Amino acid sequence: MPRMRRKSDLPTKTCAACGLPFTWRKKWERDWDNVRYCSDRCRSGKGGAKKDQA
Ligand SMILES: [Zn+2]
């Protein structure tokens, strides 16, 4: 019998933009292998420590 996967047992990755760890989300279930950023802001390159004022 397979082990139950608890909520606290979800996979995690480190964001390539801000460097913070983030946890698997339902919306990434089909694309988890390709997920590199914790948020849309990081993915668009506008996130991070510095706030970009355009
Ligand atoms: Zn991030």
Side-chain angles (χ1 to χ4, degrees), residues 15-20 37-39 42:
C15 179
C18 69
L20 295 175
Y37 306 105
C38 66
S39 64
C42 282

Side-chain angles (χ1 to χ4, degrees), residues 2 4 7 12 14 16 18-19 24 33 36 43 47 49 51 54:
M4 295 286 287
K7 216 172 189 182
T12 60
T14 302
C18 69
W24 183 94
D33 284 345
R36 294 182 61 207
R43 182 169 45 196
K51 187 168 186 181

Side-chain angles (χ1 to χ4, degrees), residues 1-5:
M1 186 172 173
R3 286 182 299 170
M4 295 286 287
R5 172 157 277 187

Side-chain angles (χ1 to χ4, degrees), residues 8 12 18 21 28 35-36 52 54:
S8 60
T12 60
C18 69
W28 293 329
V35 173
R36 294 182 61 207
D52 187 15

